[in-house]
Amino acid sequence: MTASSHVIGTGLTRYGKHEGHGVLDLMSEAAQLALDDAELERGDIDGLLCGYATTMPHLMLATVFAEHFGLKPGYAHTVQLGGATGYALVMLAHYLVAAGAARRILVVAGENRMTGQSRDASVQVLAQVGHPDYEVPLGATIPAYYGLLASYAMQHWGHTERDYAELAVLMRRHACAHEGAQFRAPITVETVLASRPIASPLKVLDCCPVSDGGCAVIVSARPQGAHPLRISGVAQHHNAQHLSAMASLSDFGAGACTAGALETAGRRLGEVEYAAIYDSFTVTLALLLEEIGLAPRGRAGALAREGHFSRDGAVPLNLHGGLLSYGHCGVAGAMAHLVEAHRQMTGRAGVRQARRAGVALLHGDGGVLSSHVSLVMEAP
């Protein structure tokens, strides 16, 4: 199916602590920012797609939010795909507007994980992505799974703890230039290496924080407003849900997914000028960059150190600071990557502005590198 759609507005709250703000509050703030960016009113929206929220696990979150925010959509849907949910929502909106099911779809997510959920509850909820028989009963946590993957990559591809630290330093450097980032204090490789161990070899600064925040995107069938971007390619790929069921730890499906999105866009990987790649842990970012082909095997950390992924580098990466430093509030976490891409591609990123950002590749994953969604965006 050949589809045509455009991102015409985006909204992003600051990430961090929002004391007294619940899920609907954070979603509402982001949604209004997106409407303002698109120069639209609430009545202009006829479709609504929401991400799930672990702090408000309502069975009908989309229609609850519609009532709260004053929308009367002709189409409403809530989606669950872990960290890949935000891009899956945009992919669904892409097809829905092309099919004529709606003209303008508000994609929105938000969650108060930092102030509305205890640490133990958060650990327990996220751990349930593991296999119910072969993984969860053993007490594995999400950081533990990624610690295993980091150890595997160190043995097979020569990754080092210092390589992972380089990626954490890069994301923090980018976040320092964004007023909405949860963490803006500069860090060094030595700071990362000396930080508290979480799941060997990962330290606390190798891991994304827990945050409150919200994010929204408006997808339209036609380019309108002052800052439209075309969604020219989309794809999903799902090898296996559980780490214990993976046939290979060198092929999680990210490469096939991004290749599919680029193919539908009629683009090559070498044409990508801006990258927005999921980074729940430093090893997540390293593995995805290398499987996608944005870095050779074992070289992601070295390229970060050499400036390849910096604002003035060959392929600027997550210039808002990513999940590792801008913050991670569930579904809205990865959606912030899309907002930054939108800002970069429309020349509105201020001091963060990259020299070139005409073609962007976005990739998110859910679970433990389980479900993959890729998007390609470019000028209309």
Side-chain angles (χ1 to χ4, degrees):
M1 176 181 178
T2 301
S4 176
S5 73
H6 297 81
V7 171
I8 60 171
T10 54
L12 178 66
T13 72
R14 65 174 179 83
Y15 283 9
K17 181 179 288 188
H18 286 263
E19 200 71 59
H21 289 71
V23 169
L24 298 179
D25 301 319
L26 295 165
M27 291 172 69
S28 295
E29 181 180 347
Q32 189 57 56
L33 289 170
L35 287 170
D36 293 343
D37 191 44
E39 301 174 347
L40 296 176
E41 303 294 332
R42 298 184 189 191
D44 296 322
I45 299 297
D46 59 353
L48 175 64
L49 296 175
C50 292
Y52 66 95
T54 62
T55 56
M56 187 181 176
H58 198 286
L59 294 175
M60 302 173 66
L61 185 57
T63 50
V64 167
F65 176 74
E67 177 184 275
H68 177 83
F69 195 61
L71 302 178
K72 294 184 178 180
Y75 185 98
H77 200 151
T78 305
V79 173
Q80 292 179 260
L81 202 65
T85 303
Y87 293 168
L89 291 167
V90 173
M91 182 177 180
L92 177 57
H94 169 73
Y95 283 129
L96 286 170
V97 297
R103 294 170 301 147
R104 303 180 195 92
I105 297 179
L106 173 65
V107 176
V108 61
E111 194 162 359
N112 59 332
R113 286 191 181 182
M114 185 177 189
T115 60
Q117 192 173 65
S118 70
R119 181 184 64 182
D120 288 348
S122 183
V123 169
Q124 179 66 22
V125 167
L126 296 176
Q128 301 312 302
V129 303
H131 194 286
D133 296 323
Y134 306 126
E135 296 174 1
V136 173
L138 299 177
T141 62
I142 294 293
Y145 294 122
Y146 279 98
L148 288 171
L149 290 176
S151 296
Y152 179 90
M154 291 170 71
Q155 178 179 355
H156 286 79
W157 299 311
H159 287 188
T160 68
E161 293 179 49
R162 186 169 291 271
D163 288 332
Y164 296 142
E166 292 283 2
L167 293 167
V169 170
L170 177 70
M171 291 300 99
R172 182 61 61 88
R173 184 184 308 127
H174 292 169
C176 287
H178 200 305
E179 68 282 353
Q182 183 169 351
F183 293 115
R184 300 184 65 196
I187 57 175
T188 66
V189 168
E190 301 307 323
T191 307
V192 179
L193 294 175
S195 64
R196 178 166 54 92
I198 295 296
S200 182
L202 301 178
K203 320 295 192 301
V204 69
L205 291 177
D206 287 301
C207 310
C208 67
V210 174
S211 318
D212 298 339
C215 188
V217 177
I218 297 175
V219 178
S220 170
R222 62 183 183 87
Q224 62 182 102
H227 311 292
L229 290 177
R230 183 164 62 96
I231 300 174
S232 58
V234 297
Q236 291 193 29
H237 198 89
H238 309 275
N239 279 351
Q241 168 62 29
H242 302 109
L243 191 60
S244 58
M246 292 287 182
S248 168
L249 294 184
S250 62
D251 177 11
F252 292 99
C257 191
T258 52
L262 287 164
E263 182 179 2
T264 60
R267 293 287 187 177
R268 293 176 290 102
L269 186 61
E271 295 178 277
V272 171
E273 297 176 342
Y274 182 84
I277 309 298
Y278 198 79
D279 60 318
S280 52
F281 298 87
T282 51
V283 65
T284 316
L285 186 55
L287 291 173
L288 289 176
L289 287 170
E290 293 175 13
E291 184 179 331
I292 289 168
L294 291 171
R297 282 293 186 190
R299 287 278 295 161
L303 289 183
R305 181 176 60 252
E306 294 164 7
H308 185 83
F309 299 120
S310 297
R311 180 173 62 89
D312 296 324
V315 184
L317 170 71
N318 300 350
L319 290 182
H320 65 306
L323 299 170
L324 286 165
S325 280
Y326 192 89
H328 194 357
C329 51
V331 173
M335 288 176 65
H337 292 59
L338 190 153
V339 174
E340 181 66 15
H342 185 223
R343 295 289 190 272
Q344 291 287 340
M345 297 176 75
T346 54
R348 297 182 294 153
V351 297
R352 303 187 311 280
Q353 186 64 51
R355 290 177 298 180
R356 296 180 303 123
V359 178
L361 174 64
L362 300 86
H363 183 80
D365 81 77
V368 184
L369 295 168
S370 309
S371 294
H372 299 269
V373 183
S374 301
L375 309 173
V376 178
M377 300 198 311
E378 51 192 291

